[in-house]
Amino acid sequence: MNDLPPADEVKAEAKATTALERKDAVGLVTPARIPGQVLPPAGDTFLGRRITPLTRRRLDNFRTNRRGFWSLWIFLVLFVASLFAEFIANDRPLLIQYDGAFYFPVFRNYPETAFGGFLPSEADYRDPAVKQMIDEKGWIVWPVIPFGYRTITDAPGPYPAAPSRTDWLGTDDQGRDVLARLIYGFRISVLFGLALTFFSSIVGVAAGAVQGYFGGLVDLGFQRFIEIWEGLPVLYLLIILATIVEPNFWWLLGLMLLFSWTSLVGVVRAEFLRGRNFDYVRAARALGVSDPVIIFRHVLPNATVATLTFLPFILNGSITTLTSLDFLGFGLPPGSPSLGELLAQGKANLQAPWLGITAFVVLAIMLSLLIFVGEAVRDAFDPRKVVR
């Protein structure tokens, strides 16, 4: 009458089931999982690291936004190409073969005597006499654009000269190649924007975290300070300081950092005001965990979602800030490649429309790509958006 299996068989089956349940997705036996715990499927990795289902959903949401996805790739290709601007636009050859030896002027300087000349100074490779000496015993490999951003081209005056087969986008008012200055100017603008976004985000997140976590008088005092700080006239300070010291890349970066860190404070502060009352934060306090550990290890990861969605737009604003300062004449030193300086030249030389149009198109494309990327990032972190 008793149809139950023997006790030994039940125990063996239970052990087999337990071992099977403990088997990980990659085939390794691990400790028992928490009931209901969802692990990412086997092989679900990104950049060589295993990711959670939530991260996979966000990546899928980002890819679903085709405009933002391809905008990111186009922007990355343009930026990486600009990092190698010296190999694309340069008045120095990439490679010289002379008398059986190889020379790399793009990496180091060579005297004219190395190519049969009589001057011990650095060789001018655009000099017809130097070119002739090298061609007699070797050959030269030039970049695609044989001009640097400071090189005066061979275009006939008056300047600015119209586009030609040599100068594809013409020259500026000093006879320098516009395309070469665009490539270098694009690189400087993006690097400045990335640096300003990175450092201002660190300061802004730290300030917002302290305000939101402690609240009370700390929050009140910080808010009043930020209101006063944001009311300072940044442009007037730039004009005054420009008369004292000559502005450069790092000087401008430090000065703009003093006034740009407040952009993320409000968002991070709101996230910390909400998160400090969560149960896990109270439990951490009850266990004696220090405030810095709670802020940066437990609450900050939950606040980074709102922060990341703002970063592309902050980068956009940083690039626009540098362009505006260069356009007004309070940016990078004179002679530096800059999109704002090209726009100023276009305004001053209406008879040469290629100056203003070229700088405007490049700036519009760059900022549009960043806006599209920002929209895709925002959709990726939107919990209400589901990939179908």
Side-chain angles (χ1 to χ4, degrees), residues 282-337:
R282 294 179 177 178
R285 288 174 177 168
L287 292 173
V289 181
S290 62
D291 290 332
V293 174
I294 297 177
I295 290 175
F296 293 104
R297 188 171 182 179
H298 299 290
V299 186
L300 183 59
N302 294 325
T304 54
V305 174
T307 304
L308 290 175
T309 58
F310 279 89
L311 291 184
F313 303 101
I314 295 176
L315 175 60
N316 206 329
S318 302
I319 295 174
T320 306
T321 299
L322 178 63
T323 304
S324 304
L325 291 176
D326 289 333
F327 179 80
L328 296 174
F330 302 109
L332 298 173
S336 301

Side-chain angles (χ1 to χ4, degrees), residues 202-246:
I202 291 177
V203 178
V205 168
V210 171
Q211 280 187 249
Y213 180 79
F214 292 102
L217 293 178
V218 175
D219 184 26
L220 182 63
F222 258 109
Q223 285 296 102
R224 302 292 81 79
F225 171 76
I226 290 176
E227 291 173 1
I228 297 173
W229 193 254
E230 288 181 339
L232 296 177
V234 182
L235 182 59
Y236 291 151
L237 291 176
L238 284 172
I239 295 174
I240 294 172
L241 294 176
T243 60
I244 302 175
V245 296
E246 181 181 4

